[in-house]
Amino acid sequence: MGTRSIAPYVPLSLLLFCFVLATASVHGDQGYARELLSEAWSDKDWLVSVRRRIHENPELLFELHETSALIRRQLDELGVPYTYPVAKTGIVAEIGSGSRPVVALRADMDALPLEELVEWDHKSKIAGKMHACGHDSHTTMLLGAAKLLNKRKHLLNGTVRLLFQPAEEGGAGALDMVKEGALGEAEAIFGMHINPEEPTGEISTISGPALAATTAFRITIHGKSSPSSDSYSHVDPVLAASSTILALQNLISREADPLLSHVLSVTFVKGATKLDTDPAYVEFGGTLRSLTTDGLNWLKLRLKEVVEGQAAVHRCNTHVDLLEKERTPYPAVVNDKRLHEHANKVSKLLVGPEKVKPGKKVMAGEDFAFYQARIPGYFISIGIKNEEIGAIHSLHSPHFFLDEDVLPTGSALYAALADIYLQDHQNRTEVLR
């Protein structure tokens, strides 16, 4: 005998009321998002001025004294309270009621050790340092969001924490921020990155794995130096290193699942320079990447096994250094599914559905993952590509150039992600009651 599922009775009037309420909420959110965008555009001159001042004076890792001072001056002028220092030169500002729910927004501030090769009025004034990854724009957009949110602080249904973070570029500054309590009681966090592959103002969203888990390695293979004429008596680290590098490539081609993403790159090889004498040792190194943290752990294990095995075959000794004291490994950035739905909705409300595209998985690393290890997080990208002004070069290029029209859109996006999240959270709470 079959069974029949009996759904609970829901009055039609209640369903209609919920539909009308949801529709009104969407239209209300859209009007609010567009209002934020319009207001952000009216602040464009200020945003550009702030960004250029940061760009002209790039600083590395945790040594962000001038950058941090500039941000604090702007927050003081806006009347936004903050805590400083956090993670040496980081800042945590707070806007809203001070009570739950709490949502966090993060921007990285540090530059790269590159010589800027773009000739323009606001070129880097510091030799060998450049904002070639757009962190100056991230910082500016978060300041823009602070200004937008602070004007509405009495209307916020909770609290927004703004994290201005040092040392994303290899310094794992996010980990220090987390350890020093930057998240507070935040239950979700949003981060943003500019994207030179998409037109200015277009937003890319992706759920699940988004950026790779990464680490670096340095291998030293020790042999026995001798004149090349006595080849029978020496222990050749050059041959051992060559065989090892070839064997490591087999990890990707023969052991890794081809449907998953792994990268093992040997980026340098260094030995002696004499033509008639074998070196005592050869050193080489590079990076490991995987779209899962478990995948990175597997690569690290197999790297060590292969290197030690090949060294033994060639009668050499070896030392494997995963450089974890110098460069903390980054976990994979994995975007929360629920926050993806929120980010996708807010982005479409802000710029229109036609300017919101599915994002691509990228094998670059990002220490935003350390926040996601504690609370649900979402990392979103926004386009800056503009061929007319030369904003076409990849990140970490000395020719990198930014289309500053992204600044108002990014500011409004940060603000809308936070404010509408708080509003939605309150609405859900009231319905449950």
Side-chain angles (χ1 to χ4, degrees):
M1 181 177 177
T3 59
R4 184 175 59 171
S5 174
I6 302 176
Y9 172 72
V10 180
L12 180 60
S13 58
L14 179 58
L15 289 175
L16 288 172
F17 172 76
C18 290
F19 173 77
V20 170
L21 182 63
T23 303
S25 176
V26 168
H27 287 299
D29 285 346
Q30 184 176 55
Y32 174 63
R34 297 295 173 88
E35 177 186 320
L36 281 174
L37 185 58
S38 176
E39 192 170 323
W41 273 99
S42 69
D43 288 332
K44 185 188 174 185
D45 288 346
W46 171 69
L47 293 168
V48 168
S49 173
V50 170
R51 183 257 165 175
R52 289 179 177 179
R53 276 180 279 167
I54 297 172
H55 187 87
E56 289 176 355
N57 297 282
E59 297 172 298
L60 306 181
L61 294 171
F62 292 96
E63 302 302 314
L64 305 180
H65 303 291
E66 293 300 322
T67 305
S68 181
L70 185 153
I71 294 165
R72 284 178 281 131
R73 286 195 298 271
Q74 296 299 320
L75 292 173
D76 286 337
E77 289 179 12
L78 294 173
V80 174
Y82 57 84
T83 299
Y84 173 85
V86 182
K88 297 181 180 177
T89 50
I91 302 165
V92 178
E94 190 167 282
I95 301 173
S97 65
S99 59
R100 295 181 178 179
V102 181
V103 63
L105 302 172
R106 173 269 205 169
D108 38 14
M109 303 185 291
D110 54 323
L112 286 162
L114 285 176
E115 187 72 30
E116 183 167 8
L117 299 181
V118 183
E119 296 298 332
W120 67 304
D121 291 343
H122 301 281
K123 180 180 178 179
S124 169
K125 296 178 180 178
I126 312 298
K129 299 179 184 180
M130 176 193 177
H131 271 289
C133 199
H135 295 187
D136 52 345
S137 67
H138 305 161
T139 299
T140 301
M141 292 187 290
L142 190 55
L143 275 173
K147 186 174 184 180
L148 295 171
L149 291 168
N150 195 51
K151 290 180 180 179
R152 299 162 172 80
K153 60 184 177 182
H154 58 289
L155 299 174
L156 292 177
N157 296 302
T159 306
V160 182
R161 290 175 72 83
L162 300 96
L163 280 56
F164 295 89
Q165 178 208 307
E168 189 281 324
E169 296 289 353
L175 183 57
D176 285 40
M177 294 284 283
V178 169
K179 288 179 179 178
E180 295 187 26
L183 289 173
E185 296 182 327
E187 62 182 49
I189 184 169
F190 295 93
M192 193 184 309
H193 207 293
I194 50 91
N195 181 0
E197 296 183 0
E198 300 295 337
T200 300
E202 286 199 0
I203 297 169
S204 300
T205 61
I206 184 172
S207 182
L211 290 142
T214 66
T215 195
F217 64 89
R218 181 183 292 117
I219 310 297
T220 307
I221 296 181
H222 297 273
K224 179 181 178 182
S225 179
S226 64
S228 59
S229 59
D230 296 334
S231 59
Y232 61 90
S233 65
H234 67 193
V235 177
D236 187 356
V238 174
L239 182 59
S242 301
S243 298
T244 301
I245 291 169
L246 290 174
L248 288 174
Q249 301 309 305
N250 290 332
L251 294 179
I252 305 301
S253 64
R254 289 295 179 265
E255 293 189 31
D257 186 338
L259 299 180
L260 301 177
S261 297
H262 297 86
V263 175
L264 188 159
S265 296
V266 175
T267 57
F268 81 90
V269 180
K270 182 171 64 176
T273 58
K274 292 183 179 180
L275 296 177
D276 59 351
T277 304
D278 293 322
Y281 69 92
V282 170
E283 186 178 80
F284 66 91
T287 62
L288 305 175
R289 301 173 186 274
S290 172
L291 273 180
T292 68
T293 304
D294 286 343
L296 181 67
N297 290 334
W298 170 78
L299 272 177
K300 291 193 291 186
L301 174 65
R302 289 296 288 133
L303 173 85
K304 191 171 188 295
E305 291 173 345
V306 168
V307 169
E308 291 176 347
Q310 288 293 316
V313 166
H314 292 87
R315 299 176 296 142
C316 292
N317 297 315
T318 187
H319 176 67
V320 179
D321 186 357
L322 290 173
L323 304 174
E324 295 187 357
K325 292 182 179 179
E326 299 174 34
R327 294 180 50 166
T328 302
Y330 286 6
V333 170
V334 181
N335 281 340
D336 181 81
K337 181 180 179 181
R338 179 175 59 88
L339 295 183
H340 169 71
E341 295 171 355
H342 172 75
N344 207 39
K345 179 190 78 170
V346 171
S347 299
K348 290 177 179 178
L349 292 173
L350 188 75
V351 299
E354 70 282 356
K355 290 188 177 182
V356 180
K357 307 292 176 60
K360 299 176 182 177
K361 298 174 183 177
V362 178
M363 296 307 291
E366 236 293 344
D367 72 353
F368 187 78
F370 289 110
Y371 300 114
Q372 293 176 317
R374 294 297 183 97
I375 60 175
Y378 194 83
F379 202 63
I380 194 167
S381 71
I382 184 167
I384 59 157
K385 184 177 181 181
N386 184 338
E387 295 182 3
E388 292 182 3
I389 65 171
I392 57 174
H393 296 282
S394 62
L395 302 175
H396 293 212
S397 164
H399 298 282
F400 175 82
F401 194 68
L402 184 90
D403 183 357
E404 293 174 324
D405 278 354
V406 75
L407 299 175
T409 305
S411 299
L413 179 58
Y414 262 136
L417 285 169
D419 195 356
I420 296 176
Y421 177 91
L422 296 178
Q423 181 63 46
D424 287 351
H425 186 279
Q426 185 194 57
N427 289 341
R428 287 196 302 272
T429 303
E430 290 177 350
V431 169
L432 289 174
R433 288 174 182 171

